Amino acid sequence: MSNRILVVDDAAFMRMMIKDILSKNGFEVVGEAENGAQAVEKYAELKPDLVTMDITMPEKDGIAALKEIKASDASAKIIMCSAMGQQSMVIDAIQAGAKDFIVKPFQADRVIEAISKVLSS
């Protein structure tokens, strides 16, 4: 069975990039969300094995969504995606329960390495 992943980013082209990397490496993208509020809804609906979550998004940011998802499912596996220079937010996210983070612009091997590591933990 392939691992089911929810991709969360407010930029459609970023979601497309991640989806492309994942599908080429045997992962199944089961859903997408463009803000934290949608991410929380989709997580409850789809029960993915892992979530890639952008930090900076409208309506509800990635850290708020992370906290909400972790509150309803302590075992949720969430990897944060951030631009360079967001170290303090990345630290907040890890303290809130994120399993790892990947930096934009995405490098395919780093994305796959992070996801594989978190899924096997």
Side-chain angles (χ1 to χ4, degrees):
M1 190 182 106
S2 64
N3 292 110
R4 302 167 68 255
I5 299 178
L6 172 63
V7 175
V8 184
D9 199 302
D10 58 326
F13 79 97
M14 281 294 182
R15 292 197 307 272
M16 202 152 57
M17 276 178 64
I18 293 186
K19 274 179 14 186
D20 188 52
I21 292 168
L22 295 174
S23 58
K24 282 180 177 163
N25 286 275
F27 296 99
E28 181 190 356
V29 176
V30 291
E32 295 179 50
E34 58 189 44
N35 61 53
Q38 277 184 10
V40 173
E41 283 173 26
K42 295 263 186 181
Y43 186 87
E45 176 194 328
L46 300 168
K47 305 271 190 283
D49 298 313
L50 183 136
V51 180
T52 63
M53 178 89 69
D54 186 23
I55 291 182
T56 312
M57 294 181 290
E59 268 185 68
K60 181 179 286 184
D61 70 22
I63 294 175
L66 162 73
K67 289 177 179 171
E68 205 169 317
I69 290 170
K70 290 294 279 186
S72 69
D73 179 2
S75 65
K77 294 182 174 183
I78 302 172
I79 295 178
M80 305 308 284
C81 305
S82 72
M84 284 296 210
Q86 291 185 314
Q87 276 81 358
S88 66
M89 287 177 154
V90 167
I91 291 166
D92 289 348
I94 298 290
Q95 288 172 338
K99 299 288 186 191
D100 202 346
F101 67 94
I102 41 183
V103 177
K104 296 175 184 177
F106 299 120
Q107 291 174 301
D109 54 349
R110 171 67 186 121
V111 172
I112 297 306
E113 175 198 338
I115 287 175
S116 299
K117 189 179 86 185
V118 170
L119 285 170
S120 65
S121 64

